[in-house]
Amino acid sequence: MSWSQERRLARQVVAQRLLALDAAGTVETVHVRIAAGAAGAAGVSVRTVWRWVALA
């Protein structure tokens, strides 16, 4: 698996997990900050992660 494929997969996993938290009514900015700093999503901003969720 290439580096770009790994990042794409990480993005999908992060977005889906945050969507699940949102559906349960428990998503918070702290969750997004953690996701932005996670190994698979390193180097992205909190705003970028919120965009991923909006697009998912």
Side-chain angles (χ1 to χ4, degrees):
M1 181 178 291
S2 72
W3 181 80
S4 63
Q5 289 172 326
E6 288 179 13
R7 284 187 58 100
R8 190 175 311 120
L9 179 60
R11 173 183 169 172
Q12 291 171 346
V13 170
V14 166
Q16 292 301 317
R17 181 63 184 134
L18 290 172
L19 282 173
L21 289 172
D22 188 38
T26 60
V27 70
E28 297 180 13
T29 300
V30 68
H31 298 118
V32 176
R33 287 185 180 145
I34 291 167
V44 299
S45 70
V46 170
R47 177 70 184 125
T48 297
V49 176
W50 279 121
R51 244 183 255 122
W52 293 351
V53 173
L55 293 171

